[in-house]
């Protein structure tokens, strides 16, 4: 057992939990694997983040607490797990009545949207728009054909030396067609305006229903957030909303496993020694989580909460996610316009925040360049990824290369090692966006995500792993890593992926080849490098 005064490892530490917490988590995993809770998750095809906190009580007895994030199929409490952070009596007095009001408003909004007056006006508006589009397309095709016929007739008359009157007749036809187009647009505009005048007040009423519902929801959420009061090891208390002020707390703030565990331990007078959170079950459809893997707490949603709760406890600073990378920076190709380097895994592409994150490809290239020479990094690689990176030495070369990347004219070839034994080849299309509550992780979001496409092919098998060729057709952050790990992608995290897989060792992803057009000569340039794994 750690000595009194030993430092608690930060819940944000990328190196994961300490042995004490791992041992406790293993017991919980075994219970889940053999018990009803694990079977319930498996039957529902769902997963859940769980947590354990090892601590010592006032009598010096060692033990651990366990918690789950959010609710358990709608229930906030389960026997053997710590309760939620909020005041349960206060929430019980608010939630049922508030939920009933919101449900009534939703029903009113849905009823109005389904009413005969609204649906008829909406249908008439849509039908008119479709009819106008079809008639406009037909008229444009007819007028285009007539214009082409006049052009042929004009050429024929010129060849025959026809009189001016013949040309004037063609000009009259042209003026008539333009007038016909104007009359069509005027008639359609009048009809559209009449339909809009009928639909607009109905649309305003529907929007008013939605605004009222959102206003009530916001007020209910503020009242619910006020049932959360955090108390840290100093005995200081802080309302949840104050922890995130001036912004509102994000959804699920203080409902994750780690805040529940710390809040309960401090309230019960336990001295925390070690903390761990792990995912159990199927990955969610948006996030990418791996069964049985430990994860650090998210900084966006849990950062302010845990930051306050940890005040007064001896907490060690979080380790760096990757060790320092010694020089030199290997240069694969260089001329007076550009430079291609082989970035080592663990080195940033550009400087980050803080003095400790200044070492990067850009800083090393600037030190390598002659005095006064400009340098522009054309694209980036993840810190954990190794491989080819292009820098431009002139503004013109930078603009040219950036356009090639933006227009997807650059062929990028990666080699990766994935967990499991995959077969075949294919293309993955999963739109991605940033997880604002857990940066820099990315989410699959089919509605708000940016398009992301990856070609992949199996190159061979190495024990329990598969060697892949991967070609990103788009350039989204963490694209290859998410497409490999996500259940709608390959469902096979890349080996060593600390964000979307199991971590441990380096990320087995390498940018092995780049093919593009030289910005000065216009000739094809294909640069390759050996794969270091």
């Amino acid at each position: 057992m750690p000595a009194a005064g030993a430092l608690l490892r930060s819940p944000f530490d990328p190196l994961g939990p300490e042995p004490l917490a791992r041992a406790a988590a293993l017991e919980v995993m075994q219970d889940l694997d053999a018990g009803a809770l694990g079977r319930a998750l498996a039957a529902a095809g769902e997963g859940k983040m769980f947590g354990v906190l090892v601590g010592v009580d006032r009598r010096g007895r060692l033990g651990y607490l366990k918690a789950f994030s959010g609710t358990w199929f709608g229930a906030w409490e389960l026997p053997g797990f710590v309760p939620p952070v909020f005041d349960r009596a206060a929430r019980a007095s608010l939630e049922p009545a508030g939920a009933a009001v919101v449900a009534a408003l939703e029903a009113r909004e849905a009823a109005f949207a389904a009413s005969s007056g609204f649906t008829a006006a909406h249908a008439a508006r849509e039908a008119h728009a479709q009819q106008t589009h079809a008639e406009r397309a037909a008229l444009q095709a007819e007028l285009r054909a007539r214009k082409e016929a006049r052009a042929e007739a004009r050429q024929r008359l010129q060849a025959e030396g026809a009189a001016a009157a013949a040309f004037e007749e063609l000009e009259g036809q042209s003026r008539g067609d333009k007038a016909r187009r104007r009359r069509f647009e005027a008639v359609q505009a009048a009809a559209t305006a009449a339909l809009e005048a009928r639909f607009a007040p109905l649309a305003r009423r529907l929007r008013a229903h939605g605004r009222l519902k959102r206003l009530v929801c916001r007020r209910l959420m503020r009242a619910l957030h006020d049932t959360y009061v955090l108390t840290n090891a100093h005995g200081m208390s802080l309302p949840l909303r104050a922890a995130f002020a001036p912004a509102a707390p994000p959804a699920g703030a203080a409902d994750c496993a780690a805040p529940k565990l710390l809040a309960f331990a401090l309230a019960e007078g336990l001295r925390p020694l070690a903390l761990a959170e792990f995912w159990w079950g199927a990955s969610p459809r948006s996030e990418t989580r791996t069964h049985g893997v430990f994860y650090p707490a998210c900084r966006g949603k849990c950062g302010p909460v845990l930051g306050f709760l940890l005040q007064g406890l001896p907490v060690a600073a979080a380790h760096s996610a990757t060790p320092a990378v010694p020089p030199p920076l290997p240069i694969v190709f260089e001329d007076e316009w550009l430079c291609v380097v082989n970035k080592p895994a663990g080195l940033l592409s550009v400087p980050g925040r803080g003095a400790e994150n200044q070492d990067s490809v850009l800083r090393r290239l600037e030190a390598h360049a002659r005095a006064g020479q400009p340098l522009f990094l054309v694209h980036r690689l993840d810190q954990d990824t190794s491989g080819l990176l292009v820098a431009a030495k002139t503004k013109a070369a930078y603009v040219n290369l950036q356009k090639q990347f933006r227009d997807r004219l650059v062929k990028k070839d990666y080699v990766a090692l994935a967990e499991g034994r995959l077969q075949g080849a294919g293309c993955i299309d999963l739109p991605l966006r940033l997880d604002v509550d857990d940066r820099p992780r990315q989410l699959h979001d089919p509605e708000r995500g940016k398009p992301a496409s990856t070609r992949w092919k199996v190159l061979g098998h190495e024990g329990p792993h598969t060697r892949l060729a991967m070609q990103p057709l788009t350039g989204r952050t963490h694209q290859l890593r998410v497409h490999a790990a996500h259940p709608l992608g390959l469902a096979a995290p890349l080996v060593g992926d600390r964000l979307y897989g199991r971590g441990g060792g380096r990320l087995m992803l390498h940018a092995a080849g780049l093919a593009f057009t030289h910005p000065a000569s216009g000739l094809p340039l294909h640069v390759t490098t050996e794969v270091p794994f």
Side-chain angles (χ1 to χ4, degrees):
M1 185 176 76
L7 295 180
L8 174 70
R9 181 170 292 183
S10 167
F12 306 106
D13 200 309
L15 295 189
E18 296 169 300
L20 263 179
R22 288 180 181 271
L26 182 59
E27 283 192 18
V28 177
M29 290 181 187
Q30 291 170 342
D31 290 343
L32 289 169
D33 199 33
L37 299 184
R39 289 195 295 272
L41 284 175
E46 295 185 12
K48 177 69 66 177
M49 193 74 78
F50 290 86
V52 295
L53 184 147
V54 181
V56 177
D57 66 12
R58 294 185 179 94
R59 297 170 60 183
R61 295 176 301 183
L62 182 69
Y64 69 84
L65 306 170
K66 57 185 180 179
F68 54 86
S69 290
T71 64
W72 182 263
F73 297 100
W76 284 105
E77 298 187 52
L78 277 179
F81 291 83
V82 302
V85 175
F86 55 76
D87 182 320
R88 285 165 279 178
R91 189 179 184 110
S93 69
L94 289 169
E95 197 165 30
V101 171
V102 172
L105 291 173
E106 288 177 340
R108 285 174 55 186
E109 182 182 17
F112 183 79
S115 66
S116 58
F118 183 86
T119 54
H122 184 268
R125 183 169 170 263
E126 292 297 310
H128 172 69
Q130 293 177 8
Q131 182 180 353
T132 298
H133 178 77
E135 291 179 357
R136 182 180 287 114
L139 178 61
Q140 288 174 340
E142 179 188 348
L143 296 182
R144 191 182 304 111
R146 286 170 58 81
K147 183 177 181 179
E148 292 171 355
R150 285 195 300 272
E152 293 176 359
R154 198 173 283 111
Q155 290 177 350
R156 186 175 64 253
L157 292 174
Q158 287 174 344
E160 295 172 354
F167 289 96
E168 180 58 30
E169 181 182 351
L170 293 177
E171 289 302 319
Q173 292 176 9
S174 177
R175 289 192 294 273
D177 285 354
K178 290 178 181 177
R180 184 179 170 191
R181 184 194 298 271
R182 287 194 297 271
R183 288 194 299 273
F184 172 83
E185 294 297 342
V187 169
Q188 298 305 321
T192 299
L195 289 169
E196 287 296 332
R198 175 188 171 194
F199 180 73
L202 299 172
R204 285 196 295 271
R205 284 186 61 187
L206 183 63
R207 290 195 296 271
H209 280 295
R211 285 195 299 272
L212 178 60
K213 181 187 69 176
R214 290 191 294 274
L215 176 62
V216 171
C217 284
R218 283 197 296 270
R219 288 181 176 175
L220 175 61
M221 283 308 302
R222 282 198 297 269
L224 291 176
H225 284 148
D226 287 339
T227 66
Y228 292 77
V229 177
L230 311 171
T231 303
N232 63 21
H234 286 308
M236 300 167 55
S237 294
L238 183 73
L240 179 65
R241 286 204 290 129
F244 289 89
D255 292 331
C256 293
K260 287 183 180 181
L261 289 165
L262 272 172
F264 184 81
L266 294 173
E268 295 297 314
L270 301 177
R271 178 165 62 88
L273 299 178
L275 178 67
E277 289 183 287
F278 63 90
W279 184 264
W280 195 261
S283 176
R285 293 183 68 84
S286 57
E287 295 180 85
T288 306
R289 301 290 188 183
T290 302
H291 176 72
V293 170
F294 292 99
Y295 288 93
C298 60
R299 290 191 177 273
K301 185 160 58 175
C302 291
V305 176
L306 294 178
F308 178 77
L309 290 174
L310 289 169
Q311 291 178 21
L313 294 175
V315 182
H319 292 84
S320 172
T322 54
V325 178
L329 179 65
I331 295 177
V332 181
F333 174 88
E334 185 174 20
D335 61 16
E336 59 185 295
W337 294 282
L338 61 93
C339 176
V340 183
V341 303
N342 185 11
K343 185 187 88 68
L347 183 65
L348 291 166
S349 293
V350 296
R353 295 180 180 177
E356 72 280 6
N357 292 315
Q358 293 304 298
D359 188 22
S360 61
V361 169
L362 184 59
R363 288 287 181 263
R364 292 190 185 188
L365 282 177
E366 288 171 344
H368 166 78
R370 64 176 184 270
Q373 180 186 46
L375 271 172
F376 310 91
L377 213 60
V378 178
H379 63 121
R380 301 181 187 183
L381 292 176
D382 298 343
Q383 182 178 14
D384 296 344
T385 303
S386 60
L388 298 174
L389 202 56
V390 183
K393 293 184 175 183
T394 69
K395 184 68 173 180
Y398 172 74
V399 171
N400 179 288
L401 290 167
Q402 273 260 297
K403 188 174 188 303
Q404 291 188 55
F405 273 90
R406 185 173 60 251
D407 294 344
R408 302 178 186 175
L409 301 176
V410 178
K411 184 174 181 288
K412 298 170 280 187
D413 293 310
Y414 287 73
V415 174
L417 204 62
E419 296 181 5
R421 294 178 67 84
L422 305 173
Q423 302 292 338
C427 187
I428 301 166
D429 289 294
L430 291 178
L432 303 175
R433 68 167 176 85
L434 175 67
D435 183 350
V436 295
D437 291 328
D438 198 6
R439 300 168 187 266
R441 288 175 59 87
Q442 304 293 307
L443 298 175
H444 165 50
D445 188 334
E447 295 181 358
R448 293 179 293 165
K450 294 181 179 179
S453 300
T454 301
R455 288 199 188 107
W456 64 276
K457 180 176 67 175
V458 170
L459 298 176
H461 297 103
E462 301 173 17
H465 301 145
T466 301
R467 185 169 289 265
L468 297 172
M470 304 188 79
Q471 188 182 104
L473 306 182
T474 51
R476 308 301 175 206
T477 302
H478 297 177
Q479 176 177 317
L480 300 183
R481 299 165 70 173
V482 178
H483 281 183
H486 198 278
L488 297 179
L490 296 179
L494 300 186
V495 176
D497 193 339
R498 60 187 173 89
L499 291 180
Y500 307 102
R502 299 182 182 278
R506 66 151 291 175
L507 172 67
M508 297 300 187
L509 178 63
H510 182 75
L514 284 174
F516 52 92
T517 300
H518 193 284
S521 69
L523 296 175
L525 180 61
H526 187 201
V527 185
T528 60
T529 182
E530 291 186 4
V531 179
F533 51 83

